[in-house]
Amino acid sequence: MPEWIRKLLFWGFIAFLIYFMAFRPDGASSMFKALGAGLVAMFQGLGDFLTGLMT
């Protein structure tokens, strides 16, 4: 993928996030909460797996 397309997509994504947080703060906060909960669940599962290996 050409570098200018990657830059365009990156800055477009950043602009969308700023727009989303500015005009839909409730939706943005619930989306980030869900992403955070998903990451916590993934790391908890990894921790449980490693604990199971060690015992």
Side-chain angles (χ1 to χ4, degrees), residues 3-42:
E3 184 66 28
W4 67 272
I5 292 177
R6 257 197 283 172
K7 283 184 181 181
L8 181 69
L9 290 174
F10 174 75
W11 288 111
F13 179 71
I14 296 298
F16 174 74
L17 282 179
I18 292 170
Y19 175 81
F20 188 55
M21 288 189 295
F23 291 101
R24 303 272 313 212
D26 293 334
S29 67
S30 64
M31 181 184 71
F32 282 109
K33 279 184 192 177
L35 287 173
L39 286 174
V40 167
M42 285 181 359

